[in-house]
């Protein structure tokens, strides 16, 4: 998610930018503590719907969904949950690209979309290689 936010460029909506930054900060703490998911406090979770309603900037709604998926994972960050998170991240970048008509061909012709696909493939490959 950090990489996706970097590649997306600046998020102009301060409330969403701050919410994502706080969520990722908490996520980094949870990762260092060995937790199996992001443990967002209730007050942070309560802000989600309000922020999603104002998430008009391209890609921001998808990033909010990615963060929520990492928190709303009863069995931890399983492959299924992470698949969804990677999908939200890809869609966030796709939403920010100026593609007139969405199609597989148009996405594959877009350098940014290809960059995301390659990054995600590499990250999955590394994770599988390191898992035993």
């Amino acid at each position: 998610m950090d990489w996706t936010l970097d590649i997306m460029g600046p998020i102009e909506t301060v409330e969403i930018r701050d919410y994502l930054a706080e969520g990722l900060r908490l996520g980094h703490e949870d990762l260092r503590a060995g937790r199996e998911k992001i443990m967002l406090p209730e007050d942070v979770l309560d802000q989600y719907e309000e922020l999603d309603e104002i998430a008009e900037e391209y890609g921001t709604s998808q990033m909010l969904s990615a963060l929520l998926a990492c928190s709303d994972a009863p069995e931890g960050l399983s492959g299924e949950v992470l698949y969804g998170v990677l999908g939200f991240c890809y869609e966030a970048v796709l939403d920010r690209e100026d593609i007139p008509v969405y199609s597989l061909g148009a996405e594959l012709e877009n350098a940014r979309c290809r960059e995301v696909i390659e990054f995600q493939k590499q990250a999955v490959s590394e994770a599988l290689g390191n898992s035993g």
Side-chain angles (χ1 to χ4, degrees):
M1 289 174 39
D2 290 318
W3 184 88
T4 302
L5 285 170
D6 286 344
I7 200 169
M8 284 175 58
I11 293 177
E12 301 298 326
T13 309
V14 173
E15 297 89 350
I16 293 173
R17 183 178 62 232
D18 291 349
Y19 184 86
L20 289 170
E22 176 64 6
L24 288 176
R25 184 190 67 73
L26 292 168
H28 288 273
E29 286 179 9
D30 290 333
L31 180 64
R32 284 189 296 276
R35 293 186 188 94
E36 294 189 17
K37 66 178 188 174
I38 296 177
M39 307 293 291
L40 296 177
E42 285 300 317
D43 63 318
V44 174
L45 289 171
D46 291 343
Q47 295 174 36
Y48 172 81
E49 286 187 35
E50 177 184 319
L51 290 172
D52 195 43
E53 286 182 21
I54 66 166
E56 295 179 4
E57 188 177 347
Y58 293 124
T60 56
S61 181
Q62 293 91 335
M63 291 307 296
L64 290 170
S65 294
L67 180 61
L68 185 64
C70 290
S71 176
D72 186 25
E75 297 181 24
L77 296 177
S78 65
E80 184 178 340
V81 170
L82 293 174
Y83 177 79
V85 170
L86 290 174
F88 286 130
C89 289
Y90 176 80
E91 290 173 11
V93 173
L94 175 63
D95 201 30
R96 285 174 94 86
E97 291 300 295
D98 188 22
I99 299 176
V101 177
Y102 291 111
S103 70
L104 180 57
E107 290 176 38
L108 291 174
E109 289 176 8
N110 181 281
R112 185 59 50 97
C113 289
R114 285 192 320 273
E115 183 179 6
V116 173
I117 291 167
E118 287 306 313
F119 174 81
Q120 290 186 357
K121 283 173 55 175
Q122 181 65 34
V124 169
S125 178
E126 288 175 12
L128 292 174
N130 293 332
S131 67

